[in-house]
Amino acid sequence: MHKLKDLLQRNREVLRLLLYLGLYCVIALLLHLPCPILWITGISCPGCGITRACLSLLRLDVAAAVYYNPSVFAVILAAVLLFISKKKKTKNTILAVTACIMLTVYLYRMLFSHAPVLRFDPANGVVGR
């Protein structure tokens, strides 16, 4: 019990971030809110589809998760590693590697695979109007 309490104490920031992200996802799903980045710019962000991918994984639909955003597996692994890591330098490395993976997957999907989940329509963003 002492180890669990110590682990939770060390990872307050990660738990807080996960709580806020989870809360935002629930509110966005219930109110059908669009992604703020897509709404402002008209361009999907590297995290586009992560929420739907996580929900698909909860339903054990791996194919749908990959369809929505293949980097969901890196994000989940990073969340686990961030939770168990002790050193700030290790946590920063995990975040940097995960960001690189997400950007690589995003660029591939935008430039080569033309994933139907992603949108590139700057004229329909708030900035473009």
Side-chain angles (χ1 to χ4, degrees), residues 35 37-39 41-49 52 106 109-110 115-122:
C35 168
I37 294 173
L38 179 62
W39 180 69
T41 66
I43 303 169
S44 297
C45 71
C48 185
R52 291 172 284 177
Y106 173 72
R109 292 170 73 208
M110 272 299 234
V117 176
L118 300 179
R119 292 197 338 219
F120 185 85
D121 191 13

PDB file of all heavy atoms in Angstrom, residues 35 37-39 41-49 52 106 109-110 115-122:
ATOM      1  N   CYS A  35     -12.897  19.200 -32.479  1.00  0.00           N
ATOM      2  CA  CYS A  35     -11.531  19.414 -32.006  1.00  0.00           C
ATOM      3  C   CYS A  35     -11.239  20.916 -32.078  1.00  0.00           C
ATOM      4  O   CYS A  35     -11.480  21.546 -33.109  1.00  0.00           O
ATOM      5  CB  CYS A  35     -10.559  18.640 -32.905  1.00  0.00           C
ATOM      6  SG  CYS A  35      -8.840  19.083 -32.663  1.00  0.00           S
ATOM      7  N   ILE A  37      -8.455  22.561 -32.387  1.00  0.00           N
ATOM      8  CA  ILE A  37      -7.478  22.908 -33.429  1.00  0.00           C
ATOM      9  C   ILE A  37      -8.121  22.848 -34.806  1.00  0.00           C
ATOM     10  O   ILE A  37      -7.941  23.750 -35.631  1.00  0.00           O
ATOM     11  CB  ILE A  37      -6.237  21.988 -33.337  1.00  0.00           C
ATOM     12  CG1 ILE A  37      -5.505  22.273 -32.025  1.00  0.00           C
ATOM     13  CG2 ILE A  37      -5.320  22.165 -34.541  1.00  0.00           C
ATOM     14  CD1 ILE A  37      -4.378  21.342 -31.711  1.00  0.00           C
ATOM     15  N   LEU A  38      -8.903  21.812 -35.070  1.00  0.00           N
ATOM     16  CA  LEU A  38      -9.602  21.698 -36.351  1.00  0.00           C
ATOM     17  C   LEU A  38     -10.594  22.836 -36.519  1.00  0.00           C
ATOM     18  O   LEU A  38     -10.712  23.420 -37.592  1.00  0.00           O
ATOM     19  CB  LEU A  38     -10.314  20.349 -36.451  1.00  0.00           C
ATOM     20  CG  LEU A  38     -11.104  20.079 -37.721  1.00  0.00           C
ATOM     21  CD1 LEU A  38     -10.188  20.083 -38.932  1.00  0.00           C
ATOM     22  CD2 LEU A  38     -11.838  18.755 -37.619  1.00  0.00           C
ATOM     23  N   TRP A  39     -11.292  23.185 -35.467  1.00  0.00           N
ATOM     24  CA  TRP A  39     -12.293  24.254 -35.523  1.00  0.00           C
ATOM     25  C   TRP A  39     -11.630  25.602 -35.832  1.00  0.00           C
ATOM     26  O   TRP A  39     -12.133  26.372 -36.646  1.00  0.00           O
ATOM     27  CB  TRP A  39     -13.035  24.311 -34.186  1.00  0.00           C
ATOM     28  CG  TRP A  39     -14.080  25.363 -34.113  1.00  0.00           C
ATOM     29  CD1 TRP A  39     -15.259  25.406 -34.793  1.00  0.00           C
ATOM     30  CD2 TRP A  39     -14.053  26.540 -33.306  1.00  0.00           C
ATOM     31  NE1 TRP A  39     -15.957  26.524 -34.454  1.00  0.00           N
ATOM     32  CE2 TRP A  39     -15.237  27.243 -33.538  1.00  0.00           C
ATOM     33  CE3 TRP A  39     -13.133  27.054 -32.395  1.00  0.00           C
ATOM     34  CZ2 TRP A  39     -15.541  28.446 -32.904  1.00  0.00           C
ATOM     35  CZ3 TRP A  39     -13.434  28.251 -31.758  1.00  0.00           C
ATOM     36  CH2 TRP A  39     -14.613  28.921 -32.012  1.00  0.00           C
ATOM     37  N   THR A  41      -8.334  26.151 -37.112  1.00  0.00           N
ATOM     38  CA  THR A  41      -7.483  26.201 -38.304  1.00  0.00           C
ATOM     39  C   THR A  41      -8.091  25.544 -39.537  1.00  0.00           C
ATOM     40  O   THR A  41      -7.691  25.843 -40.653  1.00  0.00           O
ATOM     41  CB  THR A  41      -6.130  25.508 -38.042  1.00  0.00           C
ATOM     42  OG1 THR A  41      -6.360  24.113 -37.823  1.00  0.00           O
ATOM     43  CG2 THR A  41      -5.411  26.125 -36.862  1.00  0.00           C
ATOM     44  N   GLY A  42      -9.014  24.610 -39.326  1.00  0.00           N
ATOM     45  CA  GLY A  42      -9.550  23.847 -40.443  1.00  0.00           C
ATOM     46  C   GLY A  42      -8.635  22.687 -40.841  1.00  0.00           C
ATOM     47  O   GLY A  42      -8.864  22.028 -41.845  1.00  0.00           O
ATOM     48  N   ILE A  43      -7.607  22.452 -40.047  1.00  0.00           N
ATOM     49  CA  ILE A  43      -6.631  21.393 -40.324  1.00  0.00           C
ATOM     50  C   ILE A  43      -6.587  20.444 -39.130  1.00  0.00           C
ATOM     51  O   ILE A  43      -6.442  20.882 -37.987  1.00  0.00           O
ATOM     52  CB  ILE A  43      -5.229  21.984 -40.570  1.00  0.00           C
ATOM     53  CG1 ILE A  43      -5.270  22.988 -41.728  1.00  0.00           C
ATOM     54  CG2 ILE A  43      -4.216  20.881 -40.836  1.00  0.00           C
ATOM     55  CD1 ILE A  43      -4.022  23.816 -41.878  1.00  0.00           C
ATOM     56  N   SER A  44      -6.696  19.162 -39.402  1.00  0.00           N
ATOM     57  CA  SER A  44      -6.606  18.170 -38.333  1.00  0.00           C
ATOM     58  C   SER A  44      -5.227  18.204 -37.693  1.00  0.00           C
ATOM     59  O   SER A  44      -4.227  18.450 -38.370  1.00  0.00           O
ATOM     60  CB  SER A  44      -6.854  16.770 -38.891  1.00  0.00           C
ATOM     61  OG  SER A  44      -8.153  16.664 -39.401  1.00  0.00           O
ATOM     62  N   CYS A  45      -5.171  17.917 -36.405  1.00  0.00           N
ATOM     63  CA  CYS A  45      -3.899  17.914 -35.681  1.00  0.00           C
ATOM     64  C   CYS A  45      -3.353  16.485 -35.594  1.00  0.00           C
ATOM     65  O   CYS A  45      -4.061  15.529 -35.908  1.00  0.00           O
ATOM     66  CB  CYS A  45      -4.084  18.506 -34.288  1.00  0.00           C
ATOM     67  SG  CYS A  45      -5.018  17.451 -33.172  1.00  0.00           S
ATOM     68  N   PRO A  46      -2.098  16.315 -35.138  1.00  0.00           N
ATOM     69  CA  PRO A  46      -1.538  14.968 -35.016  1.00  0.00           C
ATOM     70  C   PRO A  46      -2.320  14.056 -34.061  1.00  0.00           C
ATOM     71  O   PRO A  46      -2.269  12.853 -34.188  1.00  0.00           O
ATOM     72  CB  PRO A  46      -0.122  15.213 -34.482  1.00  0.00           C
ATOM     73  CG  PRO A  46       0.216  16.578 -34.952  1.00  0.00           C
ATOM     74  CD  PRO A  46      -1.082  17.343 -34.915  1.00  0.00           C
ATOM     75  N   GLY A  47      -3.056  14.626 -33.146  1.00  0.00           N
ATOM     76  CA  GLY A  47      -3.838  13.825 -32.206  1.00  0.00           C
ATOM     77  C   GLY A  47      -5.238  13.516 -32.698  1.00  0.00           C
ATOM     78  O   GLY A  47      -6.019  12.869 -31.996  1.00  0.00           O
ATOM     79  N   CYS A  48      -5.545  13.943 -33.907  1.00  0.00           N
ATOM     80  CA  CYS A  48      -6.887  13.721 -34.441  1.00  0.00           C
ATOM     81  C   CYS A  48      -7.208  12.232 -34.492  1.00  0.00           C
ATOM     82  O   CYS A  48      -6.469  11.443 -35.051  1.00  0.00           O
ATOM     83  CB  CYS A  48      -7.000  14.309 -35.844  1.00  0.00           C
ATOM     84  SG  CYS A  48      -8.662  14.191 -36.520  1.00  0.00           S
ATOM     85  N   GLY A  49      -8.307  11.863 -33.872  1.00  0.00           N
ATOM     86  CA  GLY A  49      -8.746  10.481 -33.882  1.00  0.00           C
ATOM     87  C   GLY A  49      -8.317   9.686 -32.655  1.00  0.00           C
ATOM     88  O   GLY A  49      -8.738   8.540 -32.485  1.00  0.00           O
ATOM     89  N   ARG A  52     -11.355   8.645 -30.462  1.00  0.00           N
ATOM     90  CA  ARG A  52     -12.113   7.569 -31.111  1.00  0.00           C
ATOM     91  C   ARG A  52     -11.316   6.268 -31.128  1.00  0.00           C
ATOM     92  O   ARG A  52     -11.883   5.183 -30.980  1.00  0.00           O
ATOM     93  CB  ARG A  52     -12.510   7.991 -32.536  1.00  0.00           C
ATOM     94  CG  ARG A  52     -13.551   9.109 -32.532  1.00  0.00           C
ATOM     95  CD  ARG A  52     -13.790   9.642 -33.914  1.00  0.00           C
ATOM     96  NE  ARG A  52     -12.639  10.491 -34.264  1.00  0.00           N
ATOM     97  CZ  ARG A  52     -12.475  11.078 -35.413  1.00  0.00           C
ATOM     98  NH1 ARG A  52     -13.353  10.896 -36.379  1.00  0.00           N
ATOM     99  NH2 ARG A  52     -11.440  11.834 -35.646  1.00  0.00           N
ATOM    100  N   TYR A 106       1.323  11.266 -38.390  1.00  0.00           N
ATOM    101  CA  TYR A 106       0.473  12.342 -38.924  1.00  0.00           C
ATOM    102  C   TYR A 106       0.914  12.760 -40.326  1.00  0.00           C
ATOM    103  O   TYR A 106       0.093  12.845 -41.243  1.00  0.00           O
ATOM    104  CB  TYR A 106       0.528  13.532 -37.967  1.00  0.00           C
ATOM    105  CG  TYR A 106      -0.147  14.780 -38.457  1.00  0.00           C
ATOM    106  CD1 TYR A 106      -1.529  14.861 -38.513  1.00  0.00           C
ATOM    107  CD2 TYR A 106       0.595  15.893 -38.834  1.00  0.00           C
ATOM    108  CE1 TYR A 106      -2.157  16.019 -38.938  1.00  0.00           C
ATOM    109  CE2 TYR A 106      -0.020  17.053 -39.255  1.00  0.00           C
ATOM    110  CZ  TYR A 106      -1.395  17.118 -39.309  1.00  0.00           C
ATOM    111  OH  TYR A 106      -2.012  18.268 -39.727  1.00  0.00           O
ATOM    112  N   ARG A 109       0.147  10.043 -42.829  1.00  0.00           N
ATOM    113  CA  ARG A 109      -1.294   9.968 -43.117  1.00  0.00           C
ATOM    114  C   ARG A 109      -1.760  11.158 -43.952  1.00  0.00           C
ATOM    115  O   ARG A 109      -2.613  11.022 -44.821  1.00  0.00           O
ATOM    116  CB  ARG A 109      -2.090   9.903 -41.806  1.00  0.00           C
ATOM    117  CG  ARG A 109      -1.869   8.607 -41.050  1.00  0.00           C
ATOM    118  CD  ARG A 109      -2.464   8.651 -39.669  1.00  0.00           C
ATOM    119  NE  ARG A 109      -3.910   8.582 -39.745  1.00  0.00           N
ATOM    120  CZ  ARG A 109      -4.726   9.110 -38.846  1.00  0.00           C
ATOM    121  NH1 ARG A 109      -4.250   9.759 -37.815  1.00  0.00           N
ATOM    122  NH2 ARG A 109      -6.028   8.996 -38.980  1.00  0.00           N
ATOM    123  N   MET A 110      -1.214  12.349 -43.690  1.00  0.00           N
ATOM    124  CA  MET A 110      -1.625  13.549 -44.432  1.00  0.00           C
ATOM    125  C   MET A 110      -1.066  13.561 -45.849  1.00  0.00           C
ATOM    126  O   MET A 110      -1.777  13.900 -46.785  1.00  0.00           O
ATOM    127  CB  MET A 110      -1.148  14.811 -43.718  1.00  0.00           C
ATOM    128  CG  MET A 110      -2.086  15.358 -42.679  1.00  0.00           C
ATOM    129  SD  MET A 110      -3.682  15.837 -43.285  1.00  0.00           S
ATOM    130  CE  MET A 110      -3.774  17.487 -42.722  1.00  0.00           C
ATOM    131  N   ALA A 115      -5.586   9.791 -45.261  1.00  0.00           N
ATOM    132  CA  ALA A 115      -6.551   9.164 -44.362  1.00  0.00           C
ATOM    133  C   ALA A 115      -7.848   9.956 -44.343  1.00  0.00           C
ATOM    134  O   ALA A 115      -7.833  11.178 -44.175  1.00  0.00           O
ATOM    135  CB  ALA A 115      -5.973   9.070 -42.955  1.00  0.00           C
ATOM    136  N   PRO A 116      -8.976   9.283 -44.544  1.00  0.00           N
ATOM    137  CA  PRO A 116     -10.257   9.991 -44.573  1.00  0.00           C
ATOM    138  C   PRO A 116     -10.639  10.615 -43.229  1.00  0.00           C
ATOM    139  O   PRO A 116     -11.498  11.485 -43.176  1.00  0.00           O
ATOM    140  CB  PRO A 116     -11.254   8.902 -44.975  1.00  0.00           C
ATOM    141  CG  PRO A 116     -10.575   7.611 -44.760  1.00  0.00           C
ATOM    142  CD  PRO A 116      -9.111   7.861 -44.793  1.00  0.00           C
ATOM    143  N   VAL A 117      -9.974  10.203 -42.172  1.00  0.00           N
ATOM    144  CA  VAL A 117     -10.263  10.763 -40.854  1.00  0.00           C
ATOM    145  C   VAL A 117      -9.719  12.194 -40.749  1.00  0.00           C
ATOM    146  O   VAL A 117     -10.282  13.030 -40.065  1.00  0.00           O
ATOM    147  CB  VAL A 117      -9.642   9.875 -39.753  1.00  0.00           C
ATOM    148  CG1 VAL A 117      -9.827  10.469 -38.383  1.00  0.00           C
ATOM    149  CG2 VAL A 117     -10.242   8.485 -39.814  1.00  0.00           C
ATOM    150  N   LEU A 118      -8.627  12.465 -41.452  1.00  0.00           N
ATOM    151  CA  LEU A 118      -7.982  13.775 -41.388  1.00  0.00           C
ATOM    152  C   LEU A 118      -8.592  14.745 -42.393  1.00  0.00           C
ATOM    153  O   LEU A 118      -9.013  14.359 -43.474  1.00  0.00           O
ATOM    154  CB  LEU A 118      -6.488  13.629 -41.657  1.00  0.00           C
ATOM    155  CG  LEU A 118      -5.713  12.734 -40.699  1.00  0.00           C
ATOM    156  CD1 LEU A 118      -4.258  12.671 -41.114  1.00  0.00           C
ATOM    157  CD2 LEU A 118      -5.847  13.215 -39.280  1.00  0.00           C
ATOM    158  N   ARG A 119      -8.598  16.018 -41.989  1.00  0.00           N
ATOM    159  CA  ARG A 119      -9.113  17.061 -42.885  1.00  0.00           C
ATOM    160  C   ARG A 119      -8.081  18.164 -43.050  1.00  0.00           C
ATOM    161  O   ARG A 119      -7.407  18.542 -42.100  1.00  0.00           O
ATOM    162  CB  ARG A 119     -10.406  17.645 -42.322  1.00  0.00           C
ATOM    163  CG  ARG A 119     -11.523  16.667 -42.356  1.00  0.00           C
ATOM    164  CD  ARG A 119     -12.916  17.251 -42.207  1.00  0.00           C
ATOM    165  NE  ARG A 119     -13.009  18.534 -41.573  1.00  0.00           N
ATOM    166  CZ  ARG A 119     -13.967  18.869 -40.730  1.00  0.00           C
ATOM    167  NH1 ARG A 119     -14.899  18.008 -40.425  1.00  0.00           N
ATOM    168  NH2 ARG A 119     -14.012  20.072 -40.206  1.00  0.00           N
ATOM    169  N   PHE A 120      -7.993  18.667 -44.275  1.00  0.00           N
ATOM    170  CA  PHE A 120      -7.159  19.822 -44.574  1.00  0.00           C
ATOM    171  C   PHE A 120      -8.033  20.801 -45.334  1.00  0.00           C
ATOM    172  O   PHE A 120      -8.161  20.731 -46.547  1.00  0.00           O
ATOM    173  CB  PHE A 120      -5.922  19.432 -45.386  1.00  0.00           C
ATOM    174  CG  PHE A 120      -4.989  20.586 -45.595  1.00  0.00           C
ATOM    175  CD1 PHE A 120      -4.047  20.904 -44.629  1.00  0.00           C
ATOM    176  CD2 PHE A 120      -5.061  21.362 -46.735  1.00  0.00           C
ATOM    177  CE1 PHE A 120      -3.194  21.970 -44.819  1.00  0.00           C
ATOM    178  CE2 PHE A 120      -4.213  22.436 -46.931  1.00  0.00           C
ATOM    179  CZ  PHE A 120      -3.274  22.743 -45.970  1.00  0.00           C
ATOM    180  N   ASP A 121      -8.665  21.690 -44.590  1.00  0.00           N
ATOM    181  CA  ASP A 121      -9.607  22.642 -45.175  1.00  0.00           C
ATOM    182  C   ASP A 121      -9.507  23.972 -44.452  1.00  0.00           C
ATOM    183  O   ASP A 121     -10.424  24.373 -43.719  1.00  0.00           O
ATOM    184  CB  ASP A 121     -11.033  22.059 -45.087  1.00  0.00           C
ATOM    185  CG  ASP A 121     -12.027  22.853 -45.896  1.00  0.00           C
ATOM    186  OD1 ASP A 121     -11.608  23.689 -46.715  1.00  0.00           O
ATOM    187  OD2 ASP A 121     -13.237  22.619 -45.721  1.00  0.00           O
ATOM    188  N   PRO A 122      -8.371  24.693 -44.640  1.00  0.00           N
ATOM    189  CA  PRO A 122      -8.170  25.951 -43.897  1.00  0.00           C
ATOM    190  C   PRO A 122      -9.260  26.990 -44.133  1.00  0.00           C
ATOM    191  O   PRO A 122      -9.524  27.816 -43.266  1.00  0.00           O
ATOM    192  CB  PRO A 122      -6.823  26.450 -44.428  1.00  0.00           C
ATOM    193  CG  PRO A 122      -6.153  25.291 -45.020  1.00  0.00           C
ATOM    194  CD  PRO A 122      -7.241  24.364 -45.482  1.00  0.00           C
TER     195      PRO A 122
END
